[in-house]
Amino acid sequence: MSDYDAIIIGTGQSGPSLARRLVAAGQKVAVVERKFFGGTCVNTGCTPTKTLVASAYAAHLARRGGEYGVTIGGPIGIDMKAVKARKDAVAGTSRRAVERSLKTLEGCTVYEGHARFVAEKQVAVNDRVLEAERVFINVGGRASVPPIPGLDQVPYLTNSSMMDVDFLPSHLVVLGGSYIGLEFAQIYRRFGSEVTVIELAPRLIPREDEDVSDAVAAFLREEGIDVRVGSEVIGVKQQGNRIAVDIRSAGTIAQVVGTHVLVAIGRRPNTDDLGLDRAGIATDPRGYIEVDDQLRTNVPGIWAIGDCNGRGAFTHTSYNDFEIVAANVLDNDQRHVTDRITAYALYTDPPLGRVGMTEAEVRRTGKPALISTMPMENVSRAFEKGETKGFMKILVDRDSQHILGASFLGLAGDEVIHVILDMMYAKAPYTVVQRAVHIHPTVSEFVPTMMGDLKPLQ
Ligand SMILES: Cc1cc2nc3c(=O)[nH]c(=O)nc-3n(C[C@H](O)[C@H](O)[C@H](O)COP(=O)(O)OP(=O)(O)OC[C@H]3O[C@@H](n4cnc5c(N)ncnc54)[C@H](O)[C@@H]3O)c2cc1C
């Protein structure tokens, strides 16, 4: 038995920062990690995928070189081993930095192994049982693999095993037309694979507004991706050295035969092998740990932070969980999850930056609202760069003049959206940004213009 003030299970996006804060406050901390330091974001999520997005963008731009007056002798080639090596170098640098920082942190002991509760405040790892007054669970999640007939009989890929791919799949079939699936689909299409995306819902990224889904589907199709929506995967089987995917759409059965299948149908929390029952920690039916507005579980002294609590699914929400818990536990500064404004990005090219409510959500509230949209073709910077796909949309509460939400699908949409996000955090009326003088030529300069062009949402 070893005694600590705090045990942190998992080194995702909140655990390591919390370890540093607890140690700085004089606490003796144990950190347990079973695989890669830095968790999903660093090793199989944000960092490697955005590195691959960068390689794919370079290939795409090189192919378009002629449009800019750039001549490149011969066809554009992709060296997949070099692409992977670059990705590994970037992710590896981050992983080693997290590992080093924890292992050299005075007051922090790192255990490498699988942690499992054996009692309320007792966690077994390897041959030891650690005990502490406080336990913070930061175990994250993994790809959810649905029980599609035959899927377990074929060598399917997930976001994790995609990280080992150092060759060009001839035909990648992506099951799932949402955020993770679409990023991989465009990446591999730009590398040169034939790509098919199969989505059950009637449109891609169905949580977004219809005009956003349609615009994304249009530019992916334009790049040569075969997008099949309203299509249910009913079976998967090996066919020689290829994989056949049977789909049913509108009562018709069809088959897509590819060389590789990527399952990107959703995520599930890593809570099924954590011994939560031994500690009496409650989960919801999907396995997410139930927490209150300050991320406390039903067991006093145990918190759940990051994706495993189901309150966020992003690196920034996990990091914000750390900030909330650290403020509440160490600073007597009462912070809450519900103070957070929904914000995220889809890293296709062009990217989608999102904040607050969608137009559909605003309509459902029934509140009088104002809307402003602008096609990226009207944005001079986008025109100059030759990247005019997409549009920007802002929604405002007519009475309070507060911004309700925005969708920026277009050049730098993932960055420009922060103009809106910060206005929302400031709880400022839209008229403040309407009078701000933004820099020309940028995409952001059109945000004040759009605020001056708000019309009633019909
Ligand atoms: C392909 C992909 C792309 C993504 N892109 C983005 C993006 O661009 N932007 C964004 O904000 N988010 C993105 N995400 C989501 C983001 O990666 C996660 O939200 C983020 O990593 C937060 O994770 P976390 O802190 O909850 O834990 P994780 O990062 O998942 O880490 C959990 C850690 O706990 C360890 N662990 C689990 N169980 C145990 C156990 N029993 N004992 C010991 N250790 C254990 C795991 O090994 C892991 O290291 C992406 C995700 C994927 C899959």
Side-chain angles (χ1 to χ4, degrees):
M1 199 83 100
S2 313
D3 288 313
Y4 291 93
D5 296 310
I7 299 168
I8 298 172
I9 307 175
T11 63
Q13 293 304 303
S14 34
S17 302
L18 187 59
R20 286 178 212 115
R21 276 300 315 273
L22 291 167
V23 163
Q27 301 203 6
K28 202 176 152 202
V29 175
V31 170
V32 191
E33 174 52 58
R34 72 176 176 190
K35 204 165 181 199
F36 298 132
F37 288 83
T40 309
C41 175
V42 167
N43 298 287
T44 60
C46 336
T47 304
T49 53
K50 269 76 257 182
T51 310
L52 295 174
V53 164
S55 290
Y57 181 68
H60 179 69
L61 213 52
R63 283 191 200 103
R64 292 184 60 202
E67 294 175 36
Y68 299 87
V70 177
T71 50
I72 298 170
I76 306 303
I78 304 290
D79 177 348
M80 286 301 291
K81 289 206 167 14
V83 166
K84 178 177 179 290
R86 179 174 183 275
K87 183 266 294 172
D88 288 343
V90 174
T93 302
S94 297
R95 176 172 60 245
R96 284 188 295 276
V98 175
E99 181 171 359
R100 196 169 43 241
S101 77
L102 289 173
K103 287 186 173 170
T104 56
L105 188 62
E106 221 171 298
C108 174
T109 309
V110 174
Y111 293 88
E112 291 185 67
H114 183 98
R116 202 182 301 270
F117 282 93
V118 289
E120 226 176 62
K121 302 290 176 64
Q122 290 182 2
V123 173
V125 50
N126 303 329
D127 54 354
R128 307 174 88 108
V129 175
L130 317 177
E131 187 165 355
E133 271 308 302
R134 289 171 172 158
V135 183
F136 302 93
I137 307 170
N138 179 215
V139 292
R142 61 184 186 275
S144 152
V145 180
I148 296 170
L151 187 60
D152 55 350
Q153 307 295 311
V154 300
Y156 64 82
L157 295 156
T158 66
N159 69 290
S160 298
S161 46
M162 282 300 282
M163 296 299 117
D164 300 326
V165 172
D166 64 354
F167 56 89
L168 190 67
S170 168
H171 183 172
L172 181 67
V173 182
V174 181
L175 310 189
S178 204
Y179 308 92
I180 292 173
L182 295 187
E183 288 183 14
F184 277 117
Q186 191 182 41
I187 290 167
Y188 275 83
R189 180 64 196 142
R190 288 181 169 192
F191 287 161
S193 298
E194 197 181 326
V195 176
T196 305
V197 175
I198 301 170
E199 168 57 43
L200 177 64
R203 54 194 175 84
L204 297 179
I205 37 172
R207 255 175 278 167
E208 304 302 334
D209 284 330
E210 225 168 300
D211 50 3
V212 172
S213 295
D214 291 349
V216 170
F219 69 68
L220 292 179
R221 283 190 171 120
E222 208 177 295
E223 289 192 26
I225 295 174
D226 179 9
V227 176
R228 313 257 184 126
V229 291
S231 300
E232 184 191 2
V233 178
I234 53 171
V236 178
K237 54 181 171 289
Q238 193 77 41
Q239 215 169 69
N241 57 1
R242 299 174 80 85
I243 299 171
V245 179
D246 293 324
I247 53 179
R248 181 170 40 215
S249 40
T252 311
I253 309 288
Q255 194 173 66
V256 175
V257 182
T259 53
H260 296 80
V261 168
L262 165 64
V263 179
I265 284 182
R267 307 280 298 165
R268 58 177 292 194
N270 290 326
T271 53
D272 47 336
D273 51 3
L274 202 51
L276 292 178
D277 51 332
R278 300 284 294 271
I281 299 168
T283 57
D284 72 10
R286 294 166 66 213
Y288 288 97
I289 299 173
E290 288 180 356
V291 289
D292 66 11
D293 204 18
Q294 294 193 319
L295 304 170
R296 293 175 291 218
T297 68
N298 61 312
V299 178
I302 303 183
W303 287 256
I305 50 182
D307 288 9
C308 68
N309 64 28
R311 302 293 291 268
F314 303 101
T315 282
H316 46 279
T317 50
S318 178
Y319 186 79
N320 182 233
D321 283 0
F322 143 67
E323 294 176 313
I324 291 167
V325 169
N328 298 341
V329 171
L330 298 173
D331 304 334
N332 197 23
D333 172 10
Q334 299 308 304
R335 293 182 65 175
H336 300 91
V337 187
T338 43
D339 295 336
R340 185 156 77 205
I341 297 169
T342 302
Y344 55 90
L346 162 69
Y347 290 91
T348 46
D349 172 35
L352 169 69
R354 278 273 303 114
V355 60
M357 286 192 254
T358 61
E359 181 184 333
E361 286 167 342
V362 171
R363 285 183 187 282
R364 279 198 290 275
T365 67
K367 279 197 223 169
L370 306 174
I371 186 168
S372 181
T373 56
M374 175 170 288
M376 293 303 290
E377 280 164 358
N378 292 6
V379 175
S380 36
R381 185 64 187 277
F383 197 52
E384 288 148 11
K385 290 195 81 167
E387 300 189 16
T388 54
K389 292 195 170 75
F391 62 92
M392 297 187 281
K393 172 161 66 173
I394 301 171
L395 289 131
V396 168
D397 185 304
R398 188 197 65 189
D399 299 335
S400 70
Q401 298 194 334
H402 286 152
I403 302 171
L404 296 171
S407 301
F408 286 4
L409 177 67
L411 175 66
D414 53 328
E415 295 288 350
V416 183
I417 198 74
H418 289 88
V419 175
I420 303 294
L421 183 57
D422 289 343
M423 288 293 294
M424 290 175 73
Y425 273 112
K427 296 186 169 60
Y430 76 86
T431 45
V432 171
V433 75
Q434 186 185 358
R435 289 176 181 211
V437 180
H438 284 189
I439 298 165
H440 173 77
T442 60
V443 179
S444 305
E445 76 177 309
F446 283 86
V447 176
T449 315
M450 288 177 73
M451 295 304 188
D453 194 33
L454 285 161
K455 302 203 166 46
L457 180 67
Q458 301 295 345

